[in-house]
Amino acid sequence: MSIRIVAAVIERADRRFLIGQRRREDSSPLKWEFPGGKVKDGESLEQALARELREELQVTLLRSVAISQVEHEYGGRSGSLSITFFAASILESELNPGPFEQTAWALPRELGQYDFLTANGRLIAELATGRIKPAEILASLGESAPDSH
């Protein structure tokens, strides 16, 4: 059984990405990740992303577009994860990060210095080398993107 996960890749105007460090008492303690979480029954991926950002950072999702998909097998009973990463823009500039040990805004070239969850590896490499540029992808959608109500 695959658990569906959504994660937001939020890029600021200064090209920095928002990342969060898992708490000491969490599974995979102190590993870094992009904000997000599990998709609940009956939710679309976008609805789950909006809810997770509201719960974790108290921010409002404005726009999102899927940029990467990863199937990840974890050892043991947890089975596999199906993770969809979204380029995302948010309304607020102030964050209120609840469920993280700490958060950081990291430049693409700095991402490799953080100890990320294994499933993030390929995306981290693509962001660090500039192969994926989330802000540009969102901008290329223009203003014609459907709004997410």
Side-chain angles (χ1 to χ4, degrees), residues 23-88:
R23 286 195 180 133
R24 229 164 268 286
E25 59 274 12
D26 290 345
S27 60
S28 304
L30 302 181
K31 292 275 192 182
W32 289 83
E33 63 182 354
F34 293 100
K38 289 181 186 156
V39 179
K40 293 182 176 173
D41 287 343
E43 274 185 328
S44 71
L45 297 180
E46 289 79 6
Q47 286 168 332
L49 189 69
R51 176 185 50 75
E52 286 286 345
L53 289 175
R54 210 165 40 244
E55 290 174 1
E56 291 191 350
L57 302 169
Q58 295 174 21
V59 296
T60 309
L61 177 66
L62 288 178
R63 308 168 75 188
S64 62
V65 60
I67 54 170
S68 186
Q69 168 85 32
V70 175
E71 301 293 326
H72 189 76
E73 297 286 335
Y74 275 100
R77 302 167 315 199
S78 45
S80 69
L81 299 179
S82 172
I83 308 168
T84 305
F85 294 96
F86 287 86

